Amino acid sequence: MANNETTSVSKGVFVFKNGNKHSKKAHKSSKKSNMFSDNLWYQEFVSLWEAISHEYETLTAQIFASTTSDLLRFVETSREDSNEIPSAALLTGINMPDHEAQFKNLDKLLKDRITPHVALLHSQQCGKLKNLIESMIGQFLNNETTITPSLPLLQRWYDGLYETETKKLKLVVIILDFEGFSPKVLQNFILIISSYLHKLPFVLIFGIATSISSLYTSLPYHVISKINVQIFKCQPSTVHLNNVLEELLFTPFCPFQLGGRVFDLFTEIFLFYDFSVHNFVQNIKIAMMEHFCQGNAMALCQTDKKGIKEVIDLFEHNDYESVRRLLSFRSLVEAEPPENRIKLLTDDQYLKTVLYDKVIAVQKYTRRLHVFLKCLHVLVRDLPGAPMGKNLREIYALVVRKTITESKEYKECFQLLNFQSKDELNSKLEKIAKVMECYVNTSSKKTQLKDFCVTIKRFQNALDVLDLVDVTNVEIEPTHDAVLSGLTDRKALKEALMSRSKQQVKLLNKYEKLREEILNFLSKNFEIFMVHPSSLHLYEIFFFDDISIKDKIVGTHRSAIHNALNNPHYYLQCKCCEISNSRTVKATMPDICIAYKLHLEWGKMINLYDWLLAFLCIVDPKEGDDLDDKFKKVVNPELQARFTQAVAELEYLGFIKSSKRKTDHVMRLTWEG
């Protein structure tokens, strides 16, 4: 028989546990997790992710530090007014998934530095005024009272707390998601607490995701007049993402890199779905998990040369085989002399000697790639029309998608750079020199990049001392006056003039010659250091570009719901719901599954009574007997209630809706295939 806990979707579909069988699986999974810790790839993944996670938290705290400090100062310096409640409107932007962490951090700082009396309110928990007030007072009193929370109770508690003290701490109420609250609830709440303002020093903080106009449209004038609003703004989520990527992923010392397709996918999810930087970083974590779990070969994805050597020394035969299965290994074999190709395929010791050099080469490439990526960004970010984009992430997406120096965007940028003035070019060279110096100073062995820096400095000095007084373009024209004077035929004269125009030589002034030399030098280095990753052997160890990860990140909700309702055994894993044919309907299935499978047999309109009779025939065949006389049929109230609940759940999920044309019918909204 079916378990009672599986008779409705709200109770059973997602949380059902199958007794001992499930516990055995859990025991096995715990053993597997213990086995993971012994793998080289797992150890490197944990180490790298902990470092990235720590840096992300530190960076996020720094980004929100300025806004948070302004809010803390506002709460601390706000003065009590018998007429108006001090209120802060924090414009957070539309990256809603990130707001909760930001407000929790604000809540913690307020309690640590300003006042312990802080209430953080969510719209989900405050659908009614009573719930809002109870939640607020419960947080102020730390849920220590057994009496029904009320504002008179809060007043007595506050007076007793500060009966002998002259300095009374403020009561801060944070409305986390202003747009999610009912305007009527907020209006009544503000009016009520304003009447207690002479006794209780309230301060309000509104988290507004859209614009300040939503505050004034939601609250009428007689409510707005009760609050004194000061506006604060957070950084836009796009700026936050750019900072995180530039300081976290686009650095010479982050070994793990995203390929073009995966990076475009993550950026698309961010820009078109949630604007959540936190979700973007979590997507990177999922990509890292997929990357490292391919085998111990991926444990070579690190920045420490000594660590790479230690990992290779621990490799076994299966680990070398996983390296041989990489797609770029074929090009490595083909690049070797014929006598060494067999060794690469069969001799692990020979592969060991080659592997270290190739991995170090990719490691060196990724470091230099990010340095020259920032140099290219300095050059092109302010060009008219921004052919390569204004953000570093846009240029990175181009670099890992194709050979950047062969792209039309790159060529267009360098055509525009040929029109740069002396001051503009000199300013960009100065910024490029700073980018290079930060990288070169970390090591004394980067001779190529040191030579690059020396050349940039030489170009800067040449621009500084350049005299641009003589900037005229001189044209040298061959003297053909005698030839032209002897021509009497119009056609011959035209041809002579055309030939003469092609022979004109335009002399460049000193600055134009120097500018051309500088751009040629930069372009030559970009061609050397910014090749596509796939041109390197074993680049897959550092670059992840498996687009199949989309199925794990962007869920297919419709197919998941269909699988759950059409074949509940897929998720419940119970024998009572197991079926051999997808069209089979069993009485032991949850009610919503039975109703769903029956509704698939109807067309656009579904007669509710016919649907009920079909439901009864499956749930209780005895109730389905003698159905010819509909008027004499008496339905068991319990079964009818179960059917009604199943229909309501299907309507909530969006499979059906009520019909105004026929009151005893519902309209089907979805179709298979």
Side-chain angles (χ1 to χ4, degrees), residues 156-169:
R156 291 194 299 272
W157 169 81
Y158 187 80
D159 291 340
L161 196 62
Y162 295 102
E163 185 176 1
T164 59
E165 298 184 25
T166 56
K167 184 180 179 181
K168 298 182 178 181
L169 300 180

Side-chain angles (χ1 to χ4, degrees), residues 425-433 456 459-460 463 518:
L425 186 59
N426 198 9
S427 174
K428 291 183 176 181
L429 289 180
E430 184 178 351
K431 293 176 182 177
I432 288 174
I456 292 294
F459 284 138
Q460 285 183 273
L463 284 172
I518 292 171

Side-chain angles (χ1 to χ4, degrees), residues 506-647:
K506 183 178 181 180
L507 286 181
L508 302 176
N509 61 43
K510 292 181 180 179
Y511 167 66
E512 290 171 337
K513 286 182 178 179
L514 182 58
R515 180 178 61 194
E516 184 177 1
E517 184 182 356
I518 292 171
L519 294 179
N520 288 338
F521 170 77
L522 291 172
S523 182
K524 181 180 178 181
N525 279 274
F526 290 147
E527 290 175 3
I528 295 172
F529 296 108
M530 298 187 72
V531 296
H532 192 267
S534 62
S535 62
L536 283 84
H537 304 306
L538 309 182
Y539 74 97
E540 297 97 334
I541 293 174
F542 290 84
F543 286 84
F544 177 80
D545 199 24
D546 186 359
I547 197 59
S548 65
I549 195 177
K550 181 177 181 180
D551 298 332
K552 298 179 176 63
I553 293 176
V554 183
T556 52
H557 306 296
R558 180 180 175 184
S559 62
I561 294 173
H562 173 75
N563 286 337
L565 297 178
N566 194 52
N567 183 15
H569 175 74
Y570 183 81
Y571 289 104
L572 301 182
Q573 294 297 311
C574 59
K575 294 182 178 180
C576 57
C577 296
E578 192 172 2
I579 56 177
S580 57
N581 189 339
S582 62
R583 298 182 65 86
T584 304
V585 185
K586 298 176 69 174
T588 54
M589 289 180 172
D591 292 342
I592 188 175
C593 298
I594 297 172
Y596 175 79
K597 292 172 77 71
L598 290 174
H599 108 287
L600 295 177
E601 300 177 4
W602 268 277
K604 185 176 182 181
M605 303 294 292
I606 305 175
N607 185 295
L608 282 172
Y609 187 76
D610 293 341
W611 195 3
L612 171 61
L613 295 182
F615 179 82
L616 294 175
C617 287
I618 295 172
V619 175
D620 191 351
K622 293 181 180 179
E623 284 285 328
D625 293 341
D626 194 19
L627 300 179
D628 296 333
D629 191 351
K630 297 181 181 179
F631 298 100
K632 293 182 180 179
K633 179 66 180 174
V634 178
V635 181
N636 185 332
E638 181 181 348
L639 297 178
Q640 187 173 359
R642 288 170 56 184
F643 172 76
T644 303
Q645 183 179 356
V647 171

Side-chain angles (χ1 to χ4, degrees), residues 110-161:
L110 282 170
K111 290 178 178 177
D112 292 343
R113 302 181 186 180
I114 310 297
T115 173
H117 314 312
V118 182
L120 186 62
L121 303 180
H122 301 256
S123 60
Q124 298 93 333
Q125 303 167 355
C126 304
K128 296 181 180 180
L129 180 62
K130 178 184 176 183
N131 303 130
L132 190 153
I133 292 177
E134 287 180 353
S135 177
M136 176 189 71
I137 297 175
Q139 292 183 54
F140 283 146
L141 275 62
N142 296 321
N143 298 312
E144 294 177 355
T145 179
T146 57
I147 307 173
T148 303
S150 63
L151 284 171
L153 173 65
L154 179 63
Q155 181 185 338
R156 291 194 299 272
W157 169 81
Y158 187 80
D159 291 340
L161 196 62

Side-chain angles (χ1 to χ4, degrees), residues 414-537:
F414 269 79
Q415 288 178 352
L416 293 171
L417 286 170
N418 278 312
F419 298 98
Q420 293 273 287
S421 67
K422 173 192 170 184
D423 293 336
E424 290 174 329
L425 186 59
N426 198 9
S427 174
K428 291 183 176 181
L429 289 180
E430 184 178 351
K431 293 176 182 177
I432 288 174
K434 289 181 179 178
V435 171
M436 277 294 170
E437 286 172 0
C438 293
Y439 177 57
V440 172
N441 290 340
T442 59
S443 176
S444 59
K445 298 180 180 179
K446 301 178 176 65
T447 54
Q448 286 181 295
L449 298 188
K450 284 187 176 181
D451 293 342
F452 180 89
C453 289
V454 170
T455 307
I456 292 294
K457 288 289 185 183
R458 179 172 61 81
F459 284 138
Q460 285 183 273
N461 295 333
L463 284 172
D464 290 336
V465 301
L466 187 64
D467 185 10
L468 292 181
V469 175
D470 184 15
V471 294
T472 57
N473 294 329
V474 181
E475 292 181 350
I476 300 178
E477 302 181 5
T479 56
H480 297 294
D481 295 340
V483 178
L484 294 177
S485 61
L487 294 174
T488 56
D489 182 69
R490 179 178 294 180
K491 184 177 180 181
L493 178 62
K494 181 179 178 181
E495 291 177 354
L497 289 172
M498 291 290 290
S499 175
R500 180 180 174 182
S501 66
K502 292 179 181 178
Q503 293 176 3
Q504 291 180 350
V505 179
K506 183 178 181 180
L507 286 181
L508 302 176
N509 61 43
K510 292 181 180 179
Y511 167 66
E512 290 171 337
K513 286 182 178 179
L514 182 58
R515 180 178 61 194
E516 184 177 1
E517 184 182 356
I518 292 171
L519 294 179
N520 288 338
F521 170 77
L522 291 172
S523 182
K524 181 180 178 181
N525 279 274
F526 290 147
E527 290 175 3
I528 295 172
F529 296 108
M530 298 187 72
V531 296
H532 192 267
S534 62
S535 62
L536 283 84
H537 304 306

Side-chain angles (χ1 to χ4, degrees), residues 240-306:
H240 185 192
L241 176 67
N242 292 338
N243 291 335
V244 169
L245 289 177
E246 291 175 22
E247 300 296 330
L248 199 63
L249 193 64
F250 302 155
T251 60
F253 305 104
C254 180
F256 177 75
Q257 305 296 315
L258 294 176
R261 295 179 299 173
V262 173
F263 186 80
D264 287 342
L265 171 65
F266 291 175
T267 306
E268 180 182 331
I269 293 172
F270 172 82
L271 294 175
F272 297 105
Y273 287 88
D274 55 16
F275 277 95
S276 172
V277 180
H278 174 75
N279 287 354
F280 192 97
V281 174
Q282 290 302 310
N283 289 341
I284 293 178
K285 181 179 181 181
I286 296 173
M288 286 177 58
M289 293 167 62
E290 290 290 319
H291 178 73
F292 280 95
C293 73
Q294 294 178 48
N296 285 340
M298 301 307 165
L300 298 171
C301 179
Q302 50 181 287
T303 57
D304 185 18
K305 293 182 180 179
K306 184 179 178 181

